[in-house]
Amino acid sequence: MQEMETIHQAGDISYALLVSPEAVDDLIIDVGAGEREGFIYFHQKFGMPYTFLLKKSIESGHFLFVSISGNDKLIGFSRFEKLEEHTEKEIKGKMNVVNPSLFLLRSMEVHSSFRNCGIGRVLFSTAVYYLKGNVLTIPDNPEAARFFRKKLGFTEVTDPIGNYKQKYEGHLMLAYPKAVALWHEIAAKYPRIVYPELIDLYESLKFRHSMGKVISCNDVGRFEILFAECNGMLSGVMEKEMTRLLIELRRGIRCNA
């Protein structure tokens, strides 16, 4: 049985969906205490072991997305509950989604030593891109509310929503399709976090090319593959710059095997 579905790879950091409670046993989970870095919120607030929390989330049918560094070190997680399934309607002989699925973000936490560096934004945008629906949340504190509003684009729920027109007073919502578009927005704003290998190679090739140094065809080929894997997620300016460099390298005489 598959225990983890990798959605995105950024250098040595994997963003994945855990599909089996047993997958939690393979994770290295640092719990913060005193001056020790780690996960601290649920441990302090509820005295809850993180292994128990994550396993129970999967067993309850929730979607558990994680960011993992190197050798199975957990650096972030986000938990979603599906509140409503999407509904479809046949329009001109084709089935179309008329009401997207509705998800509740139950919690999200990033390892204390990885905060304020974009990991949480990439983790969340990866998750909502995968889920493809409306996302609700109830921030625990004003700081969290500011993060969801300013960094992720959530807005207050003012009208009943969903298939059953439920009222979600006090909730914030990131509506579909903006929830899906967030992944593109994060990749465009923070390419070094989302595509570290591509950016590092691009800057290296650009410098070597400007200095007239010999560049191997293997490096150019690797750059072409990494660039293609972005699938239009970078900003328009960066895509044009990378395309221009690739053309110059491909037709230049400095590309040696």
Side-chain angles (χ1 to χ4, degrees):
M1 178 180 177
Q2 184 183 14
E3 295 183 345
M4 182 175 73
E5 179 182 349
T6 300
I7 302 170
H8 180 66
Q9 189 73 34
D12 71 338
I13 298 179
S14 302
Y15 296 88
L17 171 69
L18 297 190
V19 296
S20 166
E22 288 72 29
V24 178
D25 293 328
D26 297 328
L27 300 178
I28 300 171
I29 305 175
D30 296 333
V31 178
E35 297 181 355
R36 188 171 72 241
E37 299 279 7
F39 293 96
I40 194 67
Y41 179 78
F42 288 95
H43 183 66
Q44 280 187 336
K45 189 169 184 178
F46 304 110
M48 184 181 297
Y50 278 87
T51 298
F52 175 83
L53 169 67
L54 300 181
K55 281 190 171 184
K56 284 300 179 182
S57 296
I58 300 173
E59 291 171 355
S60 298
H62 297 165
F63 294 84
L64 177 61
F65 295 89
V66 296
S67 50
I68 302 170
S69 175
N71 296 323
D72 301 321
K73 180 177 181 178
L74 182 70
I75 61 174
F77 67 87
S78 56
R79 303 160 55 228
F80 294 81
E81 177 185 357
K82 179 179 279 190
L83 301 180
E84 294 184 16
E85 185 62 79
H86 73 272
T87 56
E88 296 181 333
K89 183 177 181 180
E90 186 174 343
I91 302 176
K92 295 182 179 180
K94 183 179 179 181
M95 298 303 294
N96 291 270
V97 174
V98 292
N99 276 312
S101 298
L102 184 62
F103 297 91
L104 173 65
L105 174 63
R106 296 187 63 87
S107 62
M108 183 169 74
E109 187 177 358
V110 175
H111 189 287
S112 58
S113 63
F114 288 88
R115 291 172 188 164
N116 301 315
C117 61
I119 296 296
R121 276 168 281 191
V122 178
L123 172 62
F124 179 80
S125 63
T126 301
V128 298
Y129 183 81
Y130 181 95
L131 294 173
K132 292 181 170 55
N134 295 322
V135 179
L136 293 169
T137 190
I138 304 180
D140 284 348
N141 53 67
E143 182 181 357
R146 285 193 296 271
F147 172 78
F148 284 113
R149 286 193 180 98
K150 294 183 178 181
K151 302 298 184 181
L152 300 178
F154 277 75
T155 57
E156 291 185 10
V157 177
T158 56
D159 299 307
I161 58 173
N163 297 323
Y164 307 105
K165 301 303 178 185
Q166 297 288 324
K167 293 182 179 180
Y168 291 96
E169 296 179 4
H171 288 66
L172 299 178
M173 184 173 77
L174 185 66
Y176 181 91
K178 187 177 180 181
V180 176
L182 180 64
W183 170 242
H184 182 283
E185 181 182 328
I186 296 297
K189 284 185 177 179
Y190 307 100
R192 187 174 295 281
I193 299 172
V194 181
Y195 301 111
E197 292 176 297
L198 171 65
I199 301 304
D200 287 347
L201 183 55
Y202 164 67
E203 292 179 346
S204 174
L205 290 175
K206 185 177 180 179
F207 174 76
R208 283 183 277 164
H209 181 61
S210 67
M211 298 297 290
K213 296 182 178 294
V214 174
I215 297 174
S216 73
C217 283
N218 286 337
D219 282 346
V220 176
R222 178 62 177 160
F223 176 53
E224 190 170 19
I225 291 172
L226 291 174
F227 185 32
E229 289 176 349
C230 291
N231 195 26
M233 289 293 183
L234 297 171
S235 68
V237 172
M238 180 157 284
E239 282 197 355
K240 289 179 181 178
E241 291 178 352
M242 289 188 175
T243 299
R244 186 182 303 114
L245 177 62
L246 186 57
I247 292 173
E248 291 177 358
L249 292 175
R250 279 301 188 193
R251 72 185 179 193
I253 61 173
R254 298 187 183 90
C255 177
N256 298 328

